[in-house]
Amino acid sequence: MADMINVALPKGRLGDRVYDMFEAAGFECPSIREKNRKLIFENPEKGVRYFWVKPSDVAIYVERGAADIGVVGKDILMEAGSDIYELLDLNTGCCRMAVAAPKGYVNDPDSDLRVATKFTNVAREYYASMGRDIDIIHLNGSIELAPILGLSDVIVDLVETGTTLRENNLEVIEEIAQISARLISNKSSFKFKNKQIEEIAGKMAEQIK
Ligand code: PRP
């Protein structure tokens, strides 16, 4: 039998939704539905093995070849600049990467802009492209708190429904990118396991709305 295809799935709601797509593509692995804390599941008949990994780690597994393919948000790919192939936009997990500020915020071009974010590379590149000097404040979550407490002027963060911003009196002032989940592949796996990877990607593509 041909080599197994190793698939890194992001733990959580997005991963559950995306596993449904792999299943509908004919690459099911029923044991993954059992309620337990195992992290690896395989179906040798279908030639697939799934791992649940932290969403922000998927691209690392794929880039280094511990997984052949995986599913990851475009936000994480932008931030990490991973050396992988992006095979498909799965059109799920959709949101925006945006700059947000307290309502009524007025930009002062004469002082460094204080930007709080998890996405420091994205923010740096974005402001560098505009020639704006910034002071980056790296946070790991609850980014919306930063401008409220005076820790930053603005934030760079993901906006999905906009509820978090609204309920904290913040608003989007600039959009940086549209984000969605992507099917990605390790570069050498794409060459050496091309037939299997193309088959999976093709069957996933048929399901994209
Ligand atoms: C994400 C994001 C925003 C929120 C946006 O946070 O960082 O805070 O969701 O969603 P909304 O527009 O639908 O309100 P997450 O829940 O992942 O937690 P975090 O604070 O750890 O980033």
Side-chain angles (χ1 to χ4, degrees):
M1 204 189 93
D3 281 344
M4 294 280 266
I5 295 290
N6 296 297
V7 186
L9 292 176
K11 245 191 283 183
R13 240 182 329 140
L14 174 66
D16 294 340
R17 225 178 306 150
V18 161
Y19 170 72
D20 291 343
M21 292 179 79
F22 280 93
E23 190 177 76
F27 295 89
E28 74 278 7
C29 184
S31 59
I32 211 167
R33 302 271 191 208
E34 291 163 12
K35 288 262 169 292
N36 59 39
R37 306 208 60 168
K38 278 173 63 173
L39 297 172
I40 303 182
F41 299 87
E42 63 178 57
N43 181 347
E45 274 143 49
K46 296 287 177 167
V48 281
R49 182 185 293 128
Y50 294 97
F51 321 131
W52 289 121
V53 315
K54 200 172 152 88
S56 51
D57 290 340
V58 168
I60 299 171
Y61 282 81
V62 174
E63 183 173 24
R64 292 183 170 262
D68 299 302
I69 58 175
V71 173
V72 62
K74 180 71 178 173
D75 52 325
I76 292 163
L77 294 177
M78 286 169 69
E79 179 62 17
S82 313
D83 188 22
I84 47 83
Y85 291 133
E86 225 181 276
L87 302 181
L88 269 185
D89 180 342
L90 298 173
N91 197 26
T92 184
C94 299
C95 57
R96 302 184 284 162
M97 175 89 73
V99 181
K103 285 197 177 126
Y105 164 76
V106 183
N107 176 29
D108 171 7
D110 295 328
S111 65
D112 283 3
L113 186 70
R114 294 171 307 152
V115 182
T117 186
K118 263 195 275 204
F119 303 100
T120 52
N121 295 329
V122 173
R124 263 198 205 96
E125 265 171 50
Y126 176 69
Y127 285 104
S129 74
M130 299 194 304
R132 180 78 163 97
D133 290 326
I134 61 167
D135 175 13
I136 285 266
I137 300 153
H138 181 262
L139 295 177
N140 295 298
S142 299
I143 318 294
E144 293 83 358
L145 265 178
I148 298 171
L149 299 181
L151 180 62
S152 74
D153 301 308
V154 301
I155 62 173
V156 167
D157 201 10
L158 297 177
V159 182
E160 191 182 350
T161 61
T163 309
T164 313
L165 291 182
R166 217 166 24 248
E167 295 193 351
N168 291 289
N169 286 314
L170 305 172
E171 62 187 1
V172 169
I173 55 173
E174 288 150 41
E175 182 173 312
I176 300 178
Q178 290 285 342
I179 303 296
S180 55
R182 307 295 158 100
L183 179 67
I184 62 170
S185 173
N186 172 270
K187 288 189 166 177
S188 78
S189 301
F190 191 71
K191 199 157 140 197
F192 295 109
K193 299 183 179 180
N194 188 266
K195 193 166 161 279
Q196 296 128 290
I197 293 176
E198 292 275 29
E199 190 190 342
I200 294 173
K203 297 232 172 91
M204 301 276 282
E206 289 169 12
Q207 300 173 52
I208 295 168
K209 287 157 233 152

